[in-house]
Amino acid sequence: MAYLGNPGNTIEALRKYNFNFQKRFGQNFLIDANILEKIIRSAEVRKDDFVLEIGPGIGTMTQYLCESAGRVAAVEIDRNLIPILEDTLKEYDNAEIICGDILKLDLDAFVREKNEGKPIKIVANLPYYITTPIVMGILESGIPVESMTIMVQKEVAGRMQARPGSKEYGALSLAVQYYAEPKVVANVPPNCFMPRPNVGSAVIRLVRRQAPPVNVEDERLMFSIIRASFNQRRKTLANGLKNNGGFSLSREQIKESILALGVPENIRGETLSLEQFAELSNKIKCFSEE
Ligand code: SAM
């Protein structure tokens, strides 16, 4: 079987099966061998790895993964792609094709069953319309995932690794950086896909942290504070907290919590680091227990 990662072989496979792209599934297939090789290299896939691929499409990246990994499971929602995958992957005895919706799969049970609960690697050219639920669902669930090397919209990759004070910095940056160390490994232009997406893309690698980088007593409280601070971006942190009834804090308590960070009272949430949000959340928790 010839590699699919070029325009000619991709068109041939699509024609053979009379395949029509489904826009609603975010189908943009990779047709650039250099990018595919770069993804596999960056993912550091080894022969003893179990890799989960989300959305294999016609199996373009799956072929590369099967050659580098021990075992590969590929979860694809579009039934029409299953016969194509069975054909394009027929030479690999380490590939398993699963027809289903990744958001409905019990990943915890899946990792226990397929890899005895040992950490897996995720490698995927993600369907962009569900990037955040997929990534956050996996990070928050605590499923043993060593790393995720994923193609996402360029702007989303920028938000995931943004630092305090920048335009892209927000709740997604803080959530991703709490659970993982993000690093953009490649920028990918639209002409590397068929059909071409309307947006630029980037490959980002998220390596899961062994332990949280900050000391926080109540994660849920911290993330609700973070959301409240970024909900009203142009307002001060104090107003963001005050307008969110969920914390039931007095004006004085809000002021005291902010000043305890050693920052001005009128600071905006978008300049606070993860450490500062953790500290703020621990302080607010003290008030709620008084
Ligand atoms: N991996 C292929 C490639 O790189 O050429 C295809 C990537 S394409 C951007 C995204 C793939 O995810 C499509 O094949 C699409 O059908 C599939 N997909 C979309 N939503 C999905 C879901 N909820 N669960 C599993 N697969 C999904």
Side-chain angles (χ1 to χ4, degrees), residues 3-273:
Y3 278 128
L4 293 159
N6 64 60
N9 291 352
T10 297
I11 290 170
E12 199 181 308
L14 297 175
R15 282 218 183 109
K16 183 171 168 193
Y17 285 90
N18 223 348
F19 177 76
N20 290 315
F21 286 101
Q22 298 274 346
K23 221 173 164 180
R24 69 190 164 114
F25 287 144
Q27 292 177 341
N28 301 95
F29 298 165
L30 270 166
I31 50 166
D32 188 294
N34 288 329
I35 295 295
L36 284 153
E37 280 159 19
K38 177 126 202 202
I39 295 172
I40 305 294
R41 259 199 323 276
S42 316
E44 296 180 10
V45 175
R46 282 184 271 276
K47 275 287 168 217
D48 56 352
D49 283 329
F50 181 96
V51 174
L52 167 66
E53 186 189 7
I54 300 163
I58 56 172
T60 311
M61 193 156 71
T62 329
Q63 293 181 329
Y64 284 79
L65 288 170
C66 286
E67 301 217 338
S68 323
R71 280 176 305 142
V72 180
V75 179
E76 174 56 61
I77 198 169
D78 187 350
R79 287 180 181 284
N80 294 332
L81 286 167
I82 305 302
I84 308 186
L85 286 164
E86 280 164 358
D87 185 14
T88 58
L89 301 176
K90 63 176 182 279
E91 281 166 29
Y92 300 103
D93 58 8
N94 58 347
E96 181 180 354
I97 306 158
I98 299 160
C99 186
D101 180 345
I102 190 67
L103 293 177
K104 296 200 178 127
L105 188 74
D106 180 348
L107 265 180
D108 201 28
F110 176 86
V111 177
R112 259 184 280 125
E113 184 200 322
K114 304 281 178 197
N115 204 36
E116 298 162 350
K118 290 188 301 241
I120 63 164
K121 288 181 177 162
I122 293 180
V123 185
N125 170 15
L126 287 181
Y128 294 170
Y129 73 106
I130 43 171
T131 301
T132 307
I134 293 177
V135 173
M136 289 319 302
I138 292 168
L139 290 176
E140 284 169 355
S141 65
I143 296 158
V145 171
E146 193 180 316
S147 64
M148 286 193 249
T149 307
I150 47 179
M151 179 88 71
V152 298
Q153 215 173 307
K154 188 172 177 197
E155 179 234 319
V156 175
R159 279 164 44 206
M160 285 180 176
Q161 66 161 15
R163 305 303 300 166
S166 66
K167 240 185 23 232
E168 297 106 331
Y169 187 60
L172 182 67
S173 328
L174 285 151
V176 165
Q177 292 168 31
Y178 180 73
Y179 294 107
E181 286 182 72
K183 186 169 183 247
V184 170
V185 292
N187 284 317
V188 185
N191 63 5
C192 294
F193 301 87
M194 183 182 293
R196 292 181 185 199
N198 297 325
V199 290
S201 303
V203 180
I204 190 163
R205 181 154 193 253
L206 308 177
V207 178
R208 194 181 187 100
R209 295 182 191 279
Q210 297 299 322
V214 292
N215 174 13
V216 59
E217 283 164 34
D218 185 340
E219 280 181 15
R220 281 175 63 132
L221 175 66
M222 180 178 78
F223 284 114
S224 58
I225 292 171
I226 289 172
R227 276 193 300 275
S229 325
F230 286 96
N231 265 348
Q232 300 174 300
R233 252 192 121 88
R234 265 164 283 134
K235 293 232 166 88
T236 61
L237 174 62
N239 278 335
L241 295 177
K242 190 159 62 71
N243 295 344
N244 187 310
F247 307 123
S248 53
L249 292 169
S250 70
R251 199 179 282 270
E252 267 316 299
Q253 287 173 325
I254 291 176
K255 182 175 163 186
E256 194 183 323
S257 322
I258 294 175
L259 290 178
L261 301 175
V263 297
E265 191 189 337
N266 64 351
I267 195 154
R268 288 182 183 193
E270 65 209 45
T271 64
L272 289 195
S273 65

